[in-house]
Amino acid sequence: MYIVLITYTKPLDEIDYALPDHVEWLKRQYDAGYFLASGRRQPRVGGVIIARPMARGKLDALLATDPFAVQHLADYEVIEFHATMTAAELARVNEASPVV
């Protein structure tokens, strides 16, 4: 699995302008089964995405299509981890084969 930390690199007015496109992009990734959770960081300096297991290159390719990335509005830090304990709701995710 991955945790993606997004950090804004431009003022919030530029972020807010691109936000509807970013939200649509997120919805497409959920519909495709790639993302498990996402939301704003507090304070509002960026966001967080929890992504399913997949090839790292696939995740990098997905992130490159985010409107925030395309418009150079944010930086991305990707943290890969292997969950050894999960809540029952997430147990299926950890046991599932990686999305490729």
Side-chain angles (χ1 to χ4, degrees):
M1 296 176 72
Y2 299 93
I3 297 173
V4 180
L5 301 176
I6 301 169
T7 302
Y8 302 143
T9 58
K10 299 293 183 184
L12 286 178
D13 61 329
E14 292 183 47
I15 299 301
D16 288 340
Y17 184 78
L19 192 57
D21 292 336
H22 171 73
V23 170
E24 285 302 314
W25 173 83
L26 285 169
K27 287 178 184 177
R28 287 193 305 275
Q29 307 322 311
Y30 278 103
D31 289 346
Y34 297 132
F35 293 171
L36 297 171
S38 60
R40 289 183 179 172
R41 291 167 57 182
Q42 286 297 341
R44 191 175 173 210
V45 296
V48 177
I49 298 169
I50 300 175
R52 291 182 179 272
M54 68 182 79
R56 174 61 192 265
K58 172 72 172 181
L59 178 61
D60 291 341
L62 289 174
L63 295 175
T65 66
D66 180 358
F68 287 169
V70 171
Q71 298 176 42
H72 306 286
L73 300 174
D75 289 330
Y76 299 76
E77 178 184 359
V78 177
I79 302 166
E80 182 176 1
F81 76 102
H82 300 277
T84 56
M85 295 180 77
T86 62
E89 296 86 356
L90 291 179
R92 294 183 311 274
V93 172
N94 196 32
E95 295 168 0
S97 60
V99 177
V100 287

